[in-house]
Amino acid sequence: MKLTRRDFLKISSAATAGLALGGCTTMGFNMQPVQEQAWRLRTQDAKETPTICCYCAVGCGILCHTDKRTGKVIYTEGDADHPINRGALCAKGAATYQVAQNDKRMTKVLYRAPYSTQWEEKSWDWALRQIAKRVKDSRDKSFTRKNAKGQVVNRCDGIASVGSAALDNEECWIYQAMLRAMGLVYIEHQARI
Amino acid sequence: MTNHWIDIKNSDCILIMGSNAAENHPISFKWVIEARKSGATLISVDPRFTRTSSKADFYTALRSGTDIAFLGGMINYILSHNKYFQEYVARYTNACFIVGKKYGFHDGLFAGFDPKTRKYDKSYWAYELDANGVPKKDYTLKHPRSVFQLLKKHYSRYTLDKVSAVTGTPKEDLLKVYELYSATGKPDKAGTIMYAMGWTQHTVGVQNIRAMAIIQLLLGNMGVAGGGVNALRGESNVQGSTDHCLLFHIWPGYLPTPRASAATLADYNKKYTPVSHDPLSANWWQNKPKYVVSFLKAMFGDAAHAGNDFGYGWMPKLDDGKTYSWLDLFDAMYRGEFSGFFAWGQNPACSGANADKNREALARLDWMVNVNLFDNETASFWKGPGMDPRKVKTEVFFLPCAAFMEKEGSITNSGRWAQWRYKAQEPPGEAKPDGDIMVELFNEIRSLYAKEGGVFPDPILNLKWDYTTQGKYDAHKVARTINGEFTRDVTLKGKTYRKGQLVPSFAFLQADGSTTSGNWLYCQSYNESGNNMARRDNRDTSGIGLYSNWSWCWPVNRRILYNRASVDLMGRPWNPKKPVIAFAGEVQDGKYVTKKWVGDVPDGGWYPMMNPDGTPRSDTKYPFIMKPHGFGAVFGPGRGDGPFPEHYEPIECPVEKNLFSSQFTNPVAAVYRTQKDVYKTCNPRYPFVCTTYRVTEHWQTGVLTRWQPWLLEAEPQLFVEMSEELARLRGIQNGEKVIVESPRGKVEAVAMVTKRFRPFMVQGQEIHQVGLPWHYGWVWPPDGGDSANLLTPSAGDPNTRIPETKAFMVNVRKKGV
Ligand code: SF4
């Protein structure tokens, strides 16, 4: 495999990041000067933003380094000031750079029509308007004012929701608020499974 | 977790059972290793020798689904060898309560069972009350109907011989674990349990945890540093999403979702507010009406007022006796009950038990919305295995969302720390933060109702929905609503609070509409002293690693729950070397005369139970303030399947009888009846016990991690792990492709033949167990394998309805044979 200098720098920093819990692989030669240079090149002028890992609930601190010119995250590492992880991360936390920079991320709203064999790209405006119409239609048709016993229940029996433990607290709260205002009762998420 | 991650370092003995923390919560091990450096013993109990086991001082295996037998044996050992912490048990737990005469237990069934409805009448388990309605107590623990004596009797049946025959764990290994762990029953020793889905995902999931909670109470390990009952939660904000109740049965802050029989707010308060007649019981939930009104005010703002029951009537009600849980939801979807479905930040086509049922259920919808970062098996289900898109009617909307470093907001870790995150870059392309998607979508829905009218538009039109700044979702505005504010000028405890001012903490919340709070547990997280979740002072002043000025934790920044049980009746720490709190009030003539606690935020700041001269105080409260009677629950009469944990076999198991009783499986387990709900026990076609698990390099269904080259390279495809003995039996070589099948589905996997699984001797029979990770799915990577949940059963715990994915039956065979 032929490596460009850039590839090599990428690999070396990935190797260090991935080895938070173990020792340091030297690959048979001293990598110290190369790593130091890589550090300077990648993060000089970068803006540091603290965040918390998106995977398990240990809640490790991660620092994102953002290139000020491009606005892109160019490097992520364990937050040494964080009292729980003190700079260390597991393999997943160490790889979060690949969440930020990943060409497989979905960047467009997609729609699949009934019985269609493919996705179509759509605009946000169109999609949200269509979804709102579906919600209203389903809700109005399935809304139960009174149950079989004649008790007032005011609920929407025809729509269900799952998700999500991946949302922020504030998002969880407004999500439950809008679902309950719509009358949904089938509201569930990862905590149950 | 009742305690928190760093606190693990304070433990003298760490039991890791029902979890593989080294693999799945890797950084927790920083603190496990720290504890071991200070002399702690680490015990690993797992069907498979794991990364956790490799670091343990002692490891032993048990057959999946037999944890209650294992732990019941430990309870028996603790009681018969007098290893329990007498004073703690007598004074802080309900071991001293007298149970009514109707209680009984016979051949696997508790009193009150109705075989027709398969339900218990819990009134059979009630305590005997005195004339004031307070449970009668016998602090000597000698009364034959005291909880303590009933406990003794119940677990005397859990003999080493029987436990070993059921679990497959050798007797000497059982004894070793019991000895090591029960050594923490001394006042200055603490033992902790780290568990995860290995305990919860069973038809006896809740009772697994109950069994351990009983052990922790017997040994005096609750409330102390290095102790507690610690659930290691698997998702970065599954604690927060539970607190804010994206769950059918609770509203934010664990307020019960109303049932149809509670027609008015007054009915609701009457039905759900516990009453205690004991002046020494704090019975904290007596404050529920304040939290409910404050929640409704947060939901509907000024539109909620005393004149309309604070909008209570706008909230949907559940039918009495009916459950709407995950398993019920997919069952209803499979039966065609829903036209619409949101899968928001979740991949149920892979994550739910009996995945094939769930995938077929998706095809019975009219429309579905999936919000995610990457393509996944839910969004694309219509072109998945066995689907013909031309026959699938479901319309699908896929909405691309921002990743965690592309937005601002808080998440709550397993130790209840709510930590603020910041934005480091813009989302790619047209992806948007979830908060913006919600705000914009609800705006559309609301404007449709405003324009066109519709069925019962009131809650939609009246929902408070002002969470934007310059047109964009603003997490700070929501955080303020969650914390809550005063709606008018009020004077409380001698201080005046102005309208619009943030409420300092939940002790200030009111039931008259003068306060709002989206979630009372988070009241104090964002108040006039600022965004407390964003605090980054990493100095520890406690000496036991509380880090109280780092972020903020619920409730009221209390880092160790039930910490008033960490002190004796006079308020002195059981373990003076690692005090969580200590009473520091002045003493005059043998009596406390001023009130002062030092250390963590105490669980209620009342005086200790006794003065230094041994006289009891009347201005005190029992330490377990969330329990109606104030005592830790050795006896748990609120559970649906009995007040004491009892061993039952999993719905699918390899044995023909339950050695503990003729009641084979949990009599009240949740099972389903569609043609997709197939269960097979002792069927020669499915001879091996199977469990699912995770690896460090992937997360959950792999919906994020399968798309990351570094992680995928480390763990590229589905494997099934098996013993050398089983591989020999089936002629399977390490690395070969094999088929794993259950009565519900099958997957292709690479055989991983290891010494980490060993056959068990169970009831004189050799039993094999295998395991698979559940991180894979057909969308990506190509040939990576599909979800292990195609195999798992849709049967669940009767209390939580969590599916039994940790113990079921499969066959394994070479591909093509
Ligand atoms: S870095 Fe690893 S251990 Fe830490 S929170 Fe992330 S997934 Fe959990």
Side-chain angles (χ1 to χ4, degrees):
Chain A
M1 184 170 64
K2 200 163 162 276
L3 289 180
T4 63
R5 181 180 159 70
R6 220 183 136 68
D7 287 338
F8 179 69
L9 294 181
K10 264 196 213 160
I11 290 167
S12 61
S13 67
T16 356
L19 288 167
L21 283 172
C24 189
T25 312
T26 61
M27 287 164 75
F29 55 92
N30 183 4
M31 305 226 320
Q32 201 65 25
V34 183
Q35 282 173 0
E36 274 167 16
Q37 195 184 1
W39 174 265
R40 276 202 304 278
L41 287 173
R42 291 166 70 86
T43 58
Q44 76 182 6
D45 296 335
K47 184 174 176 281
E48 249 179 43
T49 308
T51 184
I52 304 294
C53 179
C54 63
Y55 297 112
C56 87
V58 172
C60 296
I62 292 178
L63 290 180
C64 295
H65 296 265
T66 308
D67 185 310
K68 284 184 193 151
R69 282 164 304 131
T70 63
K72 298 252 187 269
V73 169
I74 49 167
Y75 183 61
T76 58
E77 62 177 330
D79 182 348
D81 290 335
H82 197 286
I84 296 175
N85 62 310
R86 301 187 171 182
L89 295 173
C90 76
K92 284 191 297 297
T96 46
Y97 165 73
Q98 291 195 331
V99 176
Q101 301 309 330
N102 192 311
D103 58 11
K104 297 288 201 313
R105 284 275 299 273
M106 300 294 266
T107 57
K108 290 265 200 282
V109 172
L110 298 179
Y111 172 69
R112 185 262 177 185
Y115 310 107
S116 166
T117 55
Q118 60 199 14
W119 289 111
E120 300 161 48
E121 284 183 9
K122 293 285 184 188
S123 73
W124 275 105
D125 277 356
W126 181 87
L128 294 179
R129 215 166 300 142
Q130 294 301 315
I131 297 167
K133 276 193 199 155
R134 304 291 184 282
V135 167
K136 182 165 189 300
D137 186 56
S138 289
R139 182 181 178 276
D140 287 356
K141 280 189 187 136
S142 70
F143 203 82
T144 309
R145 295 298 301 260
K146 285 187 177 169
N147 66 8
K149 282 192 194 155
Q151 295 160 318
V152 177
V153 291
N154 285 331
R155 64 172 186 243
C156 165
D157 283 317
I159 308 176
S161 165
V162 299
S164 170
L167 295 170
D168 289 348
N169 281 322
E170 296 72 24
E171 292 166 340
C172 288
W173 196 88
I174 60 163
Y175 190 46
Q176 71 79 33
M178 77 180 229
L179 295 177
R180 292 190 158 114
M182 281 157 30
L184 266 69
V185 286
Y186 280 100
I187 300 172
E188 286 282 287
H189 81 290
Q190 288 93 337
R192 186 89 60 190
I193 54 174
Chain B
M1 293 169 86
T2 57
N3 295 40
H4 61 101
W5 295 109
I6 296 171
D7 180 65
I8 295 167
K9 74 169 181 172
N10 294 316
S11 195
D12 296 294
C13 188
I14 301 165
L15 173 61
I16 305 187
M17 188 168 170
S19 140
N20 177 9
E23 180 94 33
N24 299 326
H25 299 85
I27 300 300
S28 72
F29 250 64
K30 209 178 184 61
W31 302 104
V32 173
I33 289 166
E34 199 71 19
R36 280 197 73 228
K37 277 194 211 149
S38 318
T41 309
L42 173 61
I43 307 169
S44 160
V45 181
D46 197 295
R48 180 177 60 118
F49 186 87
T50 65
R51 280 180 165 172
T52 300
S53 319
S54 75
K55 294 284 176 198
D57 296 281
F58 189 75
Y59 163 76
T60 193
L62 87 171
R63 166 172 66 102
S64 270
T66 61
D67 303 78
I68 290 175
F70 193 106
L71 298 174
M74 172 129 66
I75 295 172
N76 188 12
Y77 179 89
I78 291 169
L79 295 174
S80 53
H81 291 76
N82 283 323
K83 296 284 186 183
Y84 56 96
F85 182 173
Q86 167 80 35
E87 194 177 353
Y88 188 105
V89 172
R91 301 303 301 244
Y92 293 168
T93 79
N94 67 12
C96 58
F97 285 25
I98 312 298
V99 177
K101 292 197 179 91
K102 274 165 80 185
Y103 170 79
F105 176 80
H106 178 67
D107 193 23
L109 287 176
F110 295 89
F113 184 68
D114 179 347
K116 264 199 233 99
T117 56
R118 290 179 61 241
K119 279 203 170 104
Y120 279 109
D121 174 355
K122 295 181 209 166
S123 71
Y124 280 77
W125 315 332
Y127 301 118
E128 209 161 87
L129 306 178
D130 67 15
N132 298 321
V134 176
K136 288 188 189 165
K137 301 181 192 73
D138 171 19
Y139 288 117
T140 70
L141 309 180
K142 296 216 169 88
H143 191 289
R145 276 185 290 108
S146 68
V147 165
F148 188 78
Q149 294 301 331
L150 296 176
L151 181 81
K152 240 183 171 166
K153 189 170 162 209
H154 192 90
Y155 290 102
S156 63
R157 301 154 50 238
Y158 286 68
T159 60
L160 280 181
D161 283 329
K162 218 179 241 185
V163 171
S164 175
V166 169
T167 57
T169 311
K171 276 193 275 183
E172 55 282 10
D173 284 12
L174 291 170
L175 260 181
K176 180 86 182 167
V177 174
Y178 297 169
E179 272 166 24
L180 286 172
Y181 198 76
S182 62
T184 64
K186 304 208 175 67
D188 61 348
K189 293 280 180 232
T192 190
I193 170 66
M194 296 166 71
Y195 75 89
M197 311 315 272
W199 266 0
T200 55
Q201 290 175 337
H202 293 277
T203 44
V204 291
V206 166
Q207 299 289 5
N208 283 335
I209 322 302
R210 283 267 308 129
M212 192 65 209
I214 291 173
I215 292 171
Q216 291 298 70
L217 287 170
L218 290 176
L219 299 173
N221 283 333
M222 293 305 296
V224 303
V229 171
N230 295 304
L232 315 187
R233 309 210 63 181
E235 310 224 5
S236 59
N237 196 34
V238 71
Q239 186 61 55
S241 55
T242 307
D243 300 336
H244 295 306
C245 299
L246 285 165
L247 291 164
F248 87 87
H249 69 299
I250 34 181
W251 284 352
Y254 303 91
L255 309 169
T257 306
R259 296 280 171 177
S261 56
T264 65
L265 185 57
D267 295 339
Y268 177 95
N269 286 334
K270 186 151 180 264
K271 189 175 169 116
Y272 299 114
T273 311
V275 178
S276 167
H277 300 288
D278 189 337
L280 295 187
S281 178
N283 182 24
W284 196 268
W285 279 117
Q286 68 175 291
N287 294 304
K288 200 174 277 173
K290 301 175 187 167
Y291 307 152
V292 172
V293 169
S294 297
F295 166 66
L296 291 170
K297 287 290 295 176
M299 287 283 291
F300 299 113
D302 293 340
H305 48 79
N308 66 358
D309 239 4
F310 298 100
Y312 176 80
W314 290 334
M315 297 296 275
K317 313 285 181 305
L318 311 174
D319 277 346
D320 289 77
K322 183 170 158 136
T323 52
Y324 302 72
S325 73
W326 177 279
L327 289 174
D328 300 302
L329 187 158
F330 279 96
D331 196 62
M333 193 189 294
Y334 183 82
R335 288 184 283 101
E337 283 188 20
F338 305 131
S339 48
F341 179 54
F342 288 94
W344 200 303
Q346 192 160 7
N347 183 16
C350 287
S351 62
N354 202 356
D356 199 46
K357 177 181 176 185
N358 305 341
R359 291 175 183 185
E360 276 197 32
L362 296 174
R364 299 180 182 190
L365 296 162
D366 291 341
W367 56 269
M368 172 178 85
V369 177
N370 182 231
V371 186
N372 228 314
L373 273 74
F374 293 97
D375 187 12
N376 61 76
E377 290 73 18
T378 302
S380 290
F381 83 93
W382 45 275
K383 52 176 170 171
M387 292 276 168
D388 177 356
R390 277 158 303 209
K391 293 191 179 134
V392 178
K393 69 170 177 203
T394 314
E395 261 185 309
V396 183
F397 299 85
F398 179 89
L399 308 179
C401 63
F404 70 106
M405 76 280 273
E406 294 158 1
K407 59 186 185 183
E408 201 178 337
S410 71
I411 59 170
T412 305
N413 79 0
S414 212
R416 297 167 285 103
W417 295 14
Q419 306 189 89
W420 197 260
R421 307 197 281 200
Y422 298 88
K423 178 172 171 177
Q425 71 171 17
E426 290 296 332
E430 293 174 16
K432 283 187 194 200
D434 298 88
D436 284 290
I437 305 174
M438 291 165 192
V439 165
E440 290 171 30
L441 176 59
F442 190 72
N443 284 344
E444 288 288 345
I445 295 169
R446 167 134 73 184
S447 71
L448 272 186
Y449 275 91
K451 250 186 282 162
E452 300 173 5
V455 180
F456 199 56
D458 313 52
I460 292 179
L461 299 177
N462 284 306
L463 186 70
K464 184 173 101 72
W465 201 248
D466 52 357
Y467 302 117
T468 54
T469 299
Q470 291 172 342
K472 292 273 172 216
Y473 163 78
D474 182 347
H476 292 270
K477 286 198 168 157
V478 186
R480 293 169 71 98
T481 295
I482 292 173
N483 182 87
E485 59 184 35
F486 291 97
T487 62
R488 51 181 185 253
D489 295 358
V490 267
T491 303
L492 294 166
K493 301 177 190 174
K495 208 173 154 197
T496 301
Y497 297 89
R498 299 271 164 233
K499 178 180 174 174
Q501 211 173 322
L502 293 162
V503 179
S505 76
F506 57 65
F508 296 81
L509 296 177
Q510 304 298 323
D512 61 1
S514 60
T515 56
T516 73
S517 178
N519 186 334
W520 71 277
L521 274 179
Y522 281 73
C523 190
Q524 196 189 62
S525 62
Y526 199 112
N527 58 15
E528 294 298 331
S529 46
N531 179 358
N532 295 316
M533 299 175 282
R535 296 185 306 166
R536 279 181 63 89
D537 180 346
N538 62 5
R539 284 166 300 179
D540 178 42
T541 49
S542 69
I544 55 164
L546 296 181
Y547 291 92
S548 301
N549 297 316
W550 180 274
S551 70
W552 175 89
C553 95
W554 68 256
V556 286
N557 208 31
R558 181 176 303 131
R559 303 277 157 152
I560 296 183
L561 297 182
Y562 300 116
N563 56 28
R564 278 189 51 250
S566 73
V567 296
D568 66 13
L569 295 171
M570 295 171 193
R572 300 169 306 197
W574 297 118
N575 181 358
K577 289 207 195 95
K578 291 173 187 167
V580 182
I581 56 167
F583 193 71
E586 289 163 86
V587 183
Q588 258 171 38
D589 304 328
K591 308 267 189 289
Y592 288 126
V593 289
T594 57
K595 202 160 52 171
K596 187 182 176 196
W597 289 92
V598 291
D600 195 10
V601 178
D603 233 333
W606 298 280
Y607 276 101
M609 308 284 298
M610 266 182 190
N611 287 309
D613 63 5
T615 51
R617 294 190 70 106
S618 58
D619 51 3
T620 181
K621 301 283 176 200
Y622 304 124
F624 285 85
I625 62 171
M626 301 312 286
K627 306 300 295 176
H629 303 300
F631 289 74
V634 169
F635 192 75
R639 302 283 70 82
D641 45 359
F644 289 132
E646 170 66 8
H647 171 74
Y648 303 110
E649 287 293 331
I651 290 292
E652 285 189 340
C653 66
V655 293
E656 268 163 353
K657 62 176 194 266
N658 173 4
L659 288 190
F660 285 94
S661 72
S662 52
Q663 190 56 50
F664 189 47
T665 55
N666 189 339
V668 292
V671 287
Y672 294 83
R673 307 270 174 228
T674 74
Q675 61 184 38
K676 284 281 182 186
D677 300 288
V678 197
Y679 316 104
K680 296 255 188 277
T681 277
C682 288
N683 184 309
R685 288 183 60 195
Y686 306 103
F688 310 128
V689 180
C690 186
T691 189
T692 59
Y693 51 78
R694 302 190 289 148
V695 298
T696 300
E697 293 76 10
H698 284 296
W699 184 67
Q700 316 302 50
T701 67
V703 68
L704 301 179
T705 51
R706 280 187 267 136
W707 299 94
Q708 298 176 46
W710 294 339
L711 298 173
L712 194 62
E713 189 176 342
E715 291 285 356
Q717 70 211 124
L718 181 65
F719 60 83
V720 55
E721 197 167 341
M722 67 185 78
S723 68
E724 292 171 344
E725 292 84 351
L726 176 56
R728 255 199 308 277
L729 193 73
R730 288 285 151 128
I732 292 167
Q733 305 289 319
N734 189 32
E736 264 182 337
K737 280 265 171 96
V738 297
I739 305 291
V740 185
E741 55 197 341
S742 83
R744 295 156 294 275
K746 62 179 176 196
V747 290
E748 191 177 308
V750 173
M752 184 191 275
V753 180
T754 74
K755 294 187 193 308
R756 297 187 288 247
F757 268 122
R758 291 274 170 82
F760 294 97
M761 277 310 283
V762 174
Q763 302 184 19
Q765 202 187 331
E766 192 173 68
I767 302 277
H768 295 278
Q769 180 161 353
V770 300
L772 311 88
W774 58 281
H775 302 301
Y776 297 92
W778 60 269
V779 166
W780 188 262
D783 301 323
D786 209 339
S787 175
N789 273 319
L790 289 163
L791 307 172
T792 55
S794 39
D797 177 275
N799 301 287
T800 60
R801 305 220 146 209
I802 199 168
E804 188 157 67
T805 56
K806 290 293 176 269
F808 55 97
M809 301 302 288
V810 297
N811 186 28
V812 183
R813 59 179 164 87
K814 260 172 118 129
K815 197 182 164 190
V817 175

